[in-house]
């Protein structure tokens, strides 16, 4: 055969400069015993010949392949490299008859001059070098897809992600279909999405085994295209290195037990924590918060209260373990005897008897003391001597910890009351009316814009709104009130035949609705001391900058508390650590996708933890791209806009779906533009849930990795009643 036309089986990687990376890779697979459809390759040099000469070469080559139809694919010299794949940059033509080969090859060759390819190359992805053409026997596929031998979201090399569609895989590769998705770990396959039922568990495992065999031989994670023909035979169509894969990290907590991003302070932290925040404000708040729990209900929470893994904060769940509960039991029993109503607030079944006591305690004591402490600090933060600023910060941090504990008590009571209402609705109202309880908790109070002290994250590295400008926000309060009142009337009518159930419903509804505005009032006030604390810290940072120990005042947030105190004590003798390295580490950690739950959790607690979304009406969907807890009712379809922080707020366009790590009060203005909200962390008691209800837009919270799985521009439908985000 002419050297201008090469059989696939003869090719090795040394031939890549002439036949392209894809063809050379396929030749290596054939040599390794992988089942690859027969093919011939028109070399990059031959591809520059006159059309008549190319046609003659293709006719010569196809006689070796036999009858049938063919796939005509590109094989670029720059394609399928270890750093840049050029995936999807060139055109492929499928099911080509013999008399159409020349035209198909011309289409593939012309695609090298496409504007999208020029843009890709200009973005630093290499030069559009020579292009060879592969003519390959077409697999008449019953199913096809892609296998990734590492999780592209997390970088986990122990997981293989297999996606599949019925028929050929072009619908999947082009994005026309999302297909099925299987996750294969330790020899077991679990379906995560079943949009087409294209393959079964056995076939998913077979694909994963073959893909991993290729990855092991190449000593690098692979992106493998595959097809299964009508006889059930598995074929490998191509394999390229996975590029831009997140680095592999361990999420082991380094401490016994289980830890989550999805509880208490974790719902306010959506990025890696800065050193000063973690070692000072965060730690002080947790210490005071847990002292409050011990004093008020006798609960002893085991240390560590939290762990930081790869820069990300995880709150301990070990207070829910059997051993921790036993250690807390004497104190809880003592409080149960001494203050039974306060102890009643711990359990969902009795919470309605306990929350009024905590509400009075917060309203008459904790709230006014908090406001007074903040006012005093704000009046003196500019004039205090430098060495007295740490004491001011300590005082405010402790007050914030106590205030946050009161939020968990009342917001926690609200969450438990809502679970009670949701269960009642599902059992007694939904069979008659359908829907969910969520409209009953909307339109309780007209929304207002965030205050100057509102923050986008508890981490005080982020400036509060007062430093960057405060935006107003208007909701659809009147419409929501009418919708809520209609839902109330319908539910009452549905229960009219059972006076006992109607009374129970009215009590559950009254309790749940009562706490909705209180929860938002509390959360909006939590960050009252943040401007004063941040100002105190920045004054210290400016002093260190004036001494030449820091480059900017903002660098102080990348010191630890001990380092700040040492700097104040030792003066010019203090040697600052490498701040630029710490900043770079945090930027790298921000690209990671952390799990919601890490560590070891006992099966009973895991079942209880997993059941919470279902209690609130979450309904599994085999088409879901991501799922979480239903937080605000309704459905909305639109284009995704992933917003990771305040510097991106202006990118959100009216009618888009806001996808964010979390939403704290400073995010509120975005709710007037968003058609729906989807978050990585959060519960129905979190800010995103409450505000979404006030603005009448659907919300799904606590999805874990929505900001990684959903991409800007993707069209989705958000169902805030079932907790699912599906392709539109």
């Amino acid at each position: 055969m002419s050297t201008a036309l090469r059989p696939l089986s003869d090719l090795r990687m040394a031939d890549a400069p002439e036949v392209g990376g894809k063809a050379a890779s396929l030749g290596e697979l054939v040599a390794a015993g992988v089942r690859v459809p027969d093919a011939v390759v028109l070399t990059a040099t031959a591809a520059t010949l006159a059309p008549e000469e190319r046609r003659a070469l293709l006719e010569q080559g196809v006689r070796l392949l036999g009858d049938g139809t063919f796939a005509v694919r590109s094989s670029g010299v720059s394609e399928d490299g270890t750093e840049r794949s050029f995936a999807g940059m060139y055109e492929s033509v499928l099911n080509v008859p013999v008399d159409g080969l020349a035209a198909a090859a011309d289409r593939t060759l012309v695609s090298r001059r496409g504007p999208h390819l020029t843009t890709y190359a200009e973005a630093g992805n290499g030069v559009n070098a020579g292009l060879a053409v592969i003519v390959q026997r077409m697999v008449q596929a019953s199913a096809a897809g892609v296998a990734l031998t590492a999780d592209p979201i997390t970088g986990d090399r122990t997981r293989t992600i297999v996606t599949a569609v019925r028929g050929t895989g072009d619908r999947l590769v082009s994005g026309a279909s999302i297909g099925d998705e299987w996750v294969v770990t330790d020899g077991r396959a679990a379906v995560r999405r079943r949009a087409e039922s294209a393959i079964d568990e056995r076939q998913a495992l077979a694909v994963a085994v073959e893909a991993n065999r290729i990855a092991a031989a190449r000593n690098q994670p692979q992106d493998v295209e595959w097809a299964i023909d009508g006889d059930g035979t598995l074929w490998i169509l191509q394999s390229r290195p996975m590029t831009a894969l997140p680095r592999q990290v361990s999420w082991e907590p380094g401490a016994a037990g289980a830890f989550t991003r999805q509880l208490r302070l974790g719902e306010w932290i959506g990025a890696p924590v800065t050193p000063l925040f973690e070692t000072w404000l965060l730690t002080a708040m947790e210490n005071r918060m847990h002292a409050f729990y011990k004093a008020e209900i006798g609960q002893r929470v085991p240390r560590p209260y939290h762990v930081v893994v790869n820069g990300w904060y995880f709150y301990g769940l070990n207070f829910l373990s059997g051993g921790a509960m036993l250690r807390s039991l004497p104190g809880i029993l003592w409080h149960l005897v001494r203050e039974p109503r306060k102890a009643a607030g711990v359990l969902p079944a009795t919470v309605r008897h306990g929350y009024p006591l905590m509400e009075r305690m917060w309203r008459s004591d904790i709230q006014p003391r908090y406001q007074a402490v903040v006012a005093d600090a704000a009046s003196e933060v500019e004039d205090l001597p430098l060495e007295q600023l740490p004491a001011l910060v300590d005082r405010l941090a402790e007050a914030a910890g106590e205030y946050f504990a009161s939020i968990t008590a009342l917001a926690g009571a609200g969450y438990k009351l809502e679970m009670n209402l949701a269960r009642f609705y599902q059992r007694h109202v939904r069979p008659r009316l359908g829907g969910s309880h969520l409209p009953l908790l909307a339109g309780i109070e007209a929304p207002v814009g965030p205050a100057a002290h509102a923050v986008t994250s508890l981490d005080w590295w982020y400036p509060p709104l007062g430093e960057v400008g405060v935006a107003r926000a208007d909701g659809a309060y009147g419409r929501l009130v009418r919708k809520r009142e209609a839902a109330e009337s319908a539910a009452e009518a549905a229960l009219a035949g059972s006076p006992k159930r109607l009374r129970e419903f009215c009590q559950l509804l009254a309790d749940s609705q009562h706490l909705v505005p209180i929860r938002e009032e509390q959360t909006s006030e939590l960050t009252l001391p943040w401007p004063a604390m941040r100002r105190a810290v920045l004054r210290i940072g400016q002093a260190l900058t004036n001494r030449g120990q820091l480059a900017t005042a903002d660098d102080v947030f990348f010191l630890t508390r001990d380092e700040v105190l040492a700097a104040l004590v030792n003066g010019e003798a203090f040697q600052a650590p490498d701040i630029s390295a710490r900043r770079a580490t945090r930027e790298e950690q921000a690209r990671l996708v952390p799990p919601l739950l890490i560590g070891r959790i006992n099966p009973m607690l895991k079942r209880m933890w997993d059941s919470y979304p279902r209690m609130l009406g979450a309904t599994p969907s085999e088409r879901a791209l991501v799922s979480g807890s239903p937080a605000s009712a309704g459905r909305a379809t639109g284009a995704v806009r992933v917003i990771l922080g305040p510097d991106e707020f202006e990118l959100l366009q009216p009618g888009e779906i806001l996808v964010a790590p979390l939403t704290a009060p400073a995010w509120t203005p975005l709710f007037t533009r968003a058609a729906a909200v989807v978050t990585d962390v959060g519960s129905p008691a979190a800010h995103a849930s409450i505000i979404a209800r006030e603005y009448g837009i659907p919300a799904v919270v606590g999805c874990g990795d929505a900001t990684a799985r959903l991409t800007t521009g993707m069209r989705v439908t958000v169902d805030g009643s079932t907790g699912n985000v599906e392709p539109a």
Side-chain angles (χ1 to χ4, degrees):
M1 181 183 292
S2 166
T3 57
L5 195 70
R6 306 280 303 276
L8 195 65
S9 57
D10 287 354
L11 302 181
R12 300 294 182 270
M13 290 309 299
D15 299 307
E18 187 61 18
V19 301
K22 183 186 297 181
S25 172
L26 286 172
E28 295 273 359
L29 291 178
V30 172
V34 176
R35 187 181 291 107
V36 177
D38 290 341
V40 293
V41 181
L42 188 70
T43 66
T45 300
T48 63
L49 296 173
E52 296 78 8
E53 294 177 276
R54 290 201 304 266
R55 179 188 298 272
L57 286 169
L58 291 170
E59 289 175 353
Q60 174 190 347
V62 82
R63 285 196 292 269
L64 299 175
L65 299 179
D67 298 330
T69 58
F70 303 90
V72 178
R73 305 176 188 275
S74 68
S75 183
V77 172
S78 302
E79 198 172 5
D80 287 1
T82 57
E83 294 183 2
R84 300 174 183 91
S85 69
F86 276 78
M89 292 294 116
Y90 304 105
E91 185 171 1
S92 295
V93 187
L94 304 181
N95 284 310
V96 180
V98 172
D99 59 4
L101 287 175
D106 289 346
R107 282 175 58 185
T108 298
L109 291 169
V110 167
S111 68
R112 68 182 296 192
R113 294 190 290 272
H116 62 292
L117 188 60
T118 303
T119 302
Y120 184 77
E122 289 174 349
N125 291 300
V127 195
N128 181 13
L131 184 66
V133 177
I134 302 171
V135 178
Q136 191 171 35
R137 286 187 62 85
M138 188 73 198
V139 176
Q140 300 306 315
S142 62
V146 174
L148 304 175
T149 64
D151 190 321
I153 302 297
T154 66
D156 187 347
R157 272 69 167 174
T158 68
R159 308 175 77 186
T160 299
I161 311 300
V162 178
T163 50
V165 293
R166 290 181 177 273
T168 58
D170 52 316
R171 289 189 300 117
L172 182 66
V173 175
S174 68
S177 173
I178 60 169
D180 304 340
E181 184 172 274
W182 293 79
V183 180
V184 181
T185 310
D186 296 330
R188 288 184 291 184
V191 66
R192 183 157 59 190
R193 184 177 63 244
R194 199 194 302 268
E196 301 189 14
S197 297
I199 60 175
D200 58 24
E201 180 181 359
R202 177 186 57 80
Q203 291 170 315
L205 281 171
V207 170
V209 167
E210 187 68 354
N212 279 284
R213 185 166 76 90
I214 296 170
R218 295 184 168 182
N219 197 32
Q220 185 174 5
Q222 295 288 297
D223 174 340
V224 180
E225 289 189 27
W226 57 271
I228 296 174
D229 66 21
D231 296 328
T233 302
L234 173 63
W235 297 87
I236 300 302
L237 306 181
Q238 74 176 63
S239 182
R240 63 168 68 94
M242 291 184 69
T243 56
L245 189 65
R247 67 183 179 93
Q248 188 168 18
V249 297
S250 169
W251 292 101
E252 287 297 319
F259 300 82
T260 182
R261 297 195 294 134
Q262 185 73 337
L263 189 65
R264 293 179 176 166
L265 291 167
E267 293 186 328
W268 290 73
I269 303 169
V273 291
T274 54
L276 194 65
F277 170 65
E278 194 267 328
T279 59
W280 197 343
L281 175 54
L282 184 58
T283 297
M285 285 183 68
E286 282 189 341
N287 287 339
R288 183 66 189 92
M289 178 173 73
H290 292 105
F292 180 93
Y293 296 152
K294 182 181 177 182
E296 296 301 325
I297 61 172
Q299 183 186 54
R300 295 176 178 270
V301 177
R303 291 180 182 270
Y305 298 143
H306 77 263
V307 294
V308 172
V309 184
N310 300 314
W312 292 81
Y313 170 87
F314 294 85
Y315 181 73
L317 289 175
N318 296 334
F319 68 95
L320 295 173
S321 69
M325 289 183 174
L326 284 174
R327 286 188 290 275
S328 293
L329 189 58
I332 292 174
L333 290 175
W334 184 83
H335 280 81
L336 185 61
V337 173
R338 184 171 176 266
E339 297 178 290
R341 290 188 62 192
K342 187 180 292 185
V346 175
L347 300 175
T350 58
V351 65
R352 64 174 298 263
H353 302 291
Y355 83 80
L357 188 63
M358 176 52 65
E359 182 184 343
R360 286 197 297 272
M361 179 179 174
W362 165 69
R363 186 72 77 184
S364 64
D365 177 35
I366 296 175
Q367 184 186 46
R369 276 196 296 109
Y370 194 50
Q371 293 170 345
V373 167
V374 172
D376 288 345
S379 68
E380 59 185 5
V381 66
E382 296 292 349
D383 301 320
L384 278 179
L386 200 64
E387 62 274 10
Q388 294 182 27
L389 290 176
L392 179 143
V393 172
D394 287 341
R395 188 164 68 249
L396 290 175
E398 285 197 13
E402 180 185 45
Y403 196 84
F404 187 80
S406 74
I407 290 177
T408 64
L410 275 184
Y415 184 29
K416 294 165 191 169
L417 287 167
E418 183 173 340
M419 284 196 296
N420 293 341
L421 178 64
R423 279 195 292 261
F424 183 94
Y425 190 98
Q426 290 175 35
R427 187 176 304 159
H428 303 299
V429 182
R430 187 173 181 175
R432 298 278 302 275
L433 301 180
S436 80
H437 72 287
L438 291 169
L440 297 166
L441 299 180
I444 305 298
E445 189 171 81
V448 296
H453 61 263
V455 300
T456 57
S457 167
L458 283 190
D459 195 327
W460 52 14
W461 180 51
Y462 297 95
L465 278 187
E467 290 187 32
V468 296
V470 180
R472 292 289 300 173
D474 299 315
Y477 180 60
R479 174 176 59 83
L480 293 175
V481 170
R482 291 189 294 274
K483 187 175 180 180
R484 171 177 55 79
E485 290 173 344
E488 291 172 359
S489 298
E492 290 169 0
L495 297 168
S498 174
K500 181 180 178 182
R501 284 180 183 169
L502 179 59
R503 286 194 300 272
E504 184 181 356
F505 169 75
C506 291
Q507 183 64 65
L508 286 170
L509 184 63
D511 288 335
S512 298
Q513 290 180 342
H514 174 75
L515 283 183
V516 168
I518 291 174
R519 286 152 69 181
E520 186 55 23
E521 181 183 358
Q522 280 192 300
T523 56
S524 65
E525 283 190 341
L526 171 63
T527 57
L528 278 170
W530 262 243
M533 287 193 292
R534 181 175 157 86
R535 179 61 191 143
V537 169
L538 285 173
R539 279 192 59 198
I540 295 171
Q542 189 59 57
L544 299 182
T545 303
N546 294 342
R547 295 178 191 166
Q549 294 164 311
L550 295 178
T552 67
D554 190 64
D555 282 346
V556 71
F557 294 106
F558 290 85
L559 299 175
T560 66
R561 181 178 186 274
D562 287 346
E563 288 167 346
V564 166
L565 297 182
L568 292 176
V569 170
N570 298 327
E572 296 183 1
F574 172 72
Q575 295 294 317
D578 188 343
I579 299 297
S580 62
R582 290 185 179 181
R583 284 183 178 270
T585 296
R586 186 185 179 279
E587 288 178 8
E588 183 179 6
Q589 291 169 335
R591 292 192 287 271
L592 300 174
V593 181
L596 282 179
L597 189 68
I598 62 174
R600 304 290 182 269
I601 186 169
N602 70 66
M604 184 181 71
L605 181 56
K606 181 68 163 60
R607 285 194 297 272
M608 181 178 73
W609 187 258
D610 291 343
S611 71
Y612 288 144
R614 293 195 300 274
M615 291 179 188
L616 294 162
T619 304
S621 166
E622 293 191 335
R623 296 189 70 250
L625 297 166
V626 295
S627 298
S629 293
S632 182
R635 287 170 61 89
T637 297
V640 164
R641 178 70 65 175
V642 178
I643 301 290
L644 298 179
D647 56 327
E648 299 176 347
F649 279 7
E650 292 305 314
L651 298 177
L652 182 70
Q653 302 301 307
E656 290 185 327
I657 307 297
L658 171 61
V659 179
L662 54 78
T663 67
W667 295 69
T668 300
L670 275 64
F671 284 63
T672 63
R673 284 178 267 158
V677 178
V678 181
T679 67
D680 287 342
V681 297
S683 69
H687 173 268
S689 309
I690 300 168
I691 296 299
R693 293 172 187 175
E694 291 181 1
Y695 286 86
I697 59 176
V700 178
V701 300
C703 298
D705 53 8
T707 53
R709 293 195 176 278
L710 305 179
T711 57
T712 293
M714 178 186 293
R715 285 192 63 80
V716 300
T717 296
V718 178
D719 191 326
S721 300
T722 65
N724 295 306
V725 181
E726 299 179 345

